């Protein structure tokens, strides 16, 4: 049985890459196909810790580095899977681990859950490291829309596409019928990170209020680079404190109940690679309004399962939300189509099988390392 060393992030903290990392680590499909070893690449334990506590992070990083070295010596993997960060300090840290594994002659595959290579490839140091780290390696991307970011360093025959998938929630309460006088429930599900469109949606809500529409918007997720106080202050400035509420983090049944009560999912992100939260909304038959960003157009079919609007365009966002608020039949039609697309393309079982097949193809290829 072929041996694979997986170097990836697992929770905590909870974010897209760590959720996918846990799914891989827990996968029966993958673990039964290969002899797998796992090393947690994360050096932050909470969202709040990101960018802080440098001494602790240095210690954790050194521990990871020497753990990788130990596995390379003792387990002699046939393939090293690395959930690499595309740019910045985190890439520099990951590159040292990658070069260590390459130094042992191990074939490499990099799974990109983020982007930014193309924004740094003109810098001499980054270009040198990219060429060294990516030479003869394979890349796994979440969408064909993300290939331009890495095309300088990966030929098409060394690129594989594996959209994310999430487990289905088996017990979902039947959606309650809306009365004509009921407020339409909008939902935003993500940490309060400005680039996720936190303030863009607030501004769109202000436009909707000015038009006299009956709606309520719930923000669900942890604090990020925007804290609760800043959020409330912005909502107050825009005059939407009666229409918008921030409920913080919710998990399990509480989170599911909020999803089941929602009518529309809004995710106006302007920095994204894929957006797992869109899949969660599709599970619950929610029509989605999101953006032309990253791999999102592979997930949301504009006009069929939701709507895509230009990034940071509050007017366009408000127009699509108004259309859905005013048209329950359209909401139901798009939500049903989204659920079908999730079942056909984005279940966790489909993701695990796709990844297993990709890893098998790479590990069995006769191409030169």
């Amino acid at each position: 049985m072929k041996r694979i060393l997986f170097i990836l992030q697992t929770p905590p903290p909870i974010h897209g890459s760590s959720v996918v990392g846990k799914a891989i680590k827990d996968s029966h499909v993958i673990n039964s196909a290969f002899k797998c070893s796992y090393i947690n690449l994360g050096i932050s334990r909470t969202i709040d810790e990101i960018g802080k506590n440098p001494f602790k992070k240095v210690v954790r990083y050194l521990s990871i580095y020497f753990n990788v070295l130990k596995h390379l010596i003792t387990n002699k993997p046939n393939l090293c899977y690395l959930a690499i960060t595309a740019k910045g300090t985190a890439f520099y840290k990951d590159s040292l681990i990658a070069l260590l594994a390459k130094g042992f002659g191990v074939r490499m595959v990099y799974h990109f859950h983020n982007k930014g290579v193309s924004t740094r490839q003109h810098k001499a140091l980054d270009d040198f490291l990219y060429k060294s780290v990516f030479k003869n390696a394979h890349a796994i991307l979440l969408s064909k829309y993300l290939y331009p970011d890495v095309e300088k360093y990966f030929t098409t025959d060394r690129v594989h596409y594996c959209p994310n998938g999430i487990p289905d929630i088996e017990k979902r309460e039947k959606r309650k019928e809306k009365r004509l006088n009921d407020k339409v429930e909008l939902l935003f599900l993500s940490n309060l990170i400005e680039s996720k469109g936190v303030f863009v949606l607030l501004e769109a809500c202000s436009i909707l209020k000015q038009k006299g529409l009956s709606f309520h918007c719930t923000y669900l997720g942890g604090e990020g680079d925007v804290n609760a106080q800043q959020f409330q202050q912005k909502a107050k400035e825009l005059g939407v404190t009666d229409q918008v509420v921030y409920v913080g983090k919710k998990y399990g049944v509480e989170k599911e109940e909020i999803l089941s009560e929602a009518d529309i999912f809004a995710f106006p992100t302007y920095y994204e690679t894929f957006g797992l939260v869109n899949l969660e909304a599709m599970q619950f038959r929610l029509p989605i309004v999101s953006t032309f960003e990253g791999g999102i157009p592979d997930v949301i079919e504009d006009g069929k399962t939701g709507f895509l609007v230009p990034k940071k365009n509050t007017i366009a966002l408000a127009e699509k939300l108004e259309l859905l608020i005013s048209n329950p039949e359209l909401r139901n039609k798009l939500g049903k189509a989204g659920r079908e697309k999730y079942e056909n393309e984005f279940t966790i079982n489909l993701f695990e099988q796709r990844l297993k097949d990709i890893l098998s193809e790479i590990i069995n290829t006769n191409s030169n390392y």
Side-chain angles (χ1 to χ4, degrees), residues 174-224:
K174 188 176 180 180
R175 185 178 303 282
K176 296 178 181 178
E177 293 295 328
K178 284 279 178 182
R179 296 187 298 271
L180 290 176
N181 61 342
D182 280 347
K183 290 183 178 179
V184 175
E185 290 288 336
L186 311 184
L187 177 62
F188 173 92
L189 172 57
S190 179
N191 291 317
L192 294 185
I193 298 173
E194 187 171 357
S195 64
K196 301 295 184 182
V198 171
F199 294 145
V200 175
L201 180 56
L202 279 180
E203 291 168 0
C205 286
S206 177
I207 295 173
L208 296 175
K209 179 185 177 181
Q210 292 169 21
K211 291 189 173 185
L213 294 166
S214 180
F215 72 96
H216 183 266
C217 183
T218 298
Y219 277 71
L220 172 61
E223 296 179 71

Side-chain angles (χ1 to χ4, degrees), residues 18-34:
S18 68
V19 170
V20 174
K22 185 177 187 303
I24 294 171
K25 188 175 181 181
D26 294 343
S27 171
H28 174 73
V29 171
I30 293 171
N31 285 288
S32 61
F34 312 102

Side-chain angles (χ1 to χ4, degrees), residues 339-355:
R339 172 68 196 187
E340 291 174 355
K341 187 174 178 67
Y342 159 74
E343 292 175 349
N344 293 331
E345 300 181 33
F346 301 120
T347 66
I348 191 64
N349 292 335
L350 289 169
F351 165 76
E352 291 175 11
Q353 189 61 49
R354 280 191 294 254
L355 183 59

Side-chain angles (χ1 to χ4, degrees), residues 69-82:
L69 178 60
K70 176 184 173 182
H71 276 76
L72 291 171
I73 294 172
T74 59
N75 295 338
K76 296 180 173 58
N78 304 104
L79 178 68
C80 181
Y81 164 108
L82 177 59

Side-chain angles (χ1 to χ4, degrees), residues 218-340:
T218 298
Y219 277 71
L220 172 61
E223 296 179 71
D225 59 14
V226 177
N227 61 40
Q229 183 178 358
Q230 292 170 321
F231 177 87
Q232 296 296 346
Q233 180 60 36
K234 186 67 173 179
K236 184 177 179 180
E237 290 174 4
L238 292 169
V240 292
T241 52
D242 290 337
Q243 287 75 29
V244 176
V245 62
Y246 169 59
V247 298
K249 298 178 185 178
K250 301 292 179 183
Y251 301 103
V253 174
E254 284 187 296
K255 178 180 175 181
E256 292 168 24
E257 287 178 350
I258 293 173
L259 278 159
S260 66
E261 291 291 334
D263 299 295
I264 302 167
F265 185 70
F267 189 55
T269 179
Y270 48 90
Y271 184 83
E272 202 71 36
T273 49
F274 189 78
L276 282 176
V277 291
N278 288 323
L279 301 188
E280 294 186 77
M282 291 163 72
Q283 279 188 341
F284 283 82
R285 296 177 171 83
L286 298 181
I288 302 170
V289 183
S290 192
T291 53
F292 292 97
E293 168 63 4
I296 290 177
D298 265 347
V299 179
I300 301 169
E301 295 182 77
D302 190 36
K304 294 183 179 180
T305 63
F307 294 111
L308 298 175
V309 298
K311 293 180 286 186
K312 300 183 181 182
N313 191 326
T314 56
I315 294 176
L317 175 61
E319 286 176 350
K320 295 304 184 184
L321 290 174
E322 179 182 3
L323 177 60
L324 290 171
I325 289 170
S326 305
N327 195 331
E329 291 184 359
L330 180 61
R331 294 200 302 267
N332 291 333
K333 177 184 176 182
L334 300 184
K336 181 181 178 182
R339 172 68 196 187
E340 291 174 355

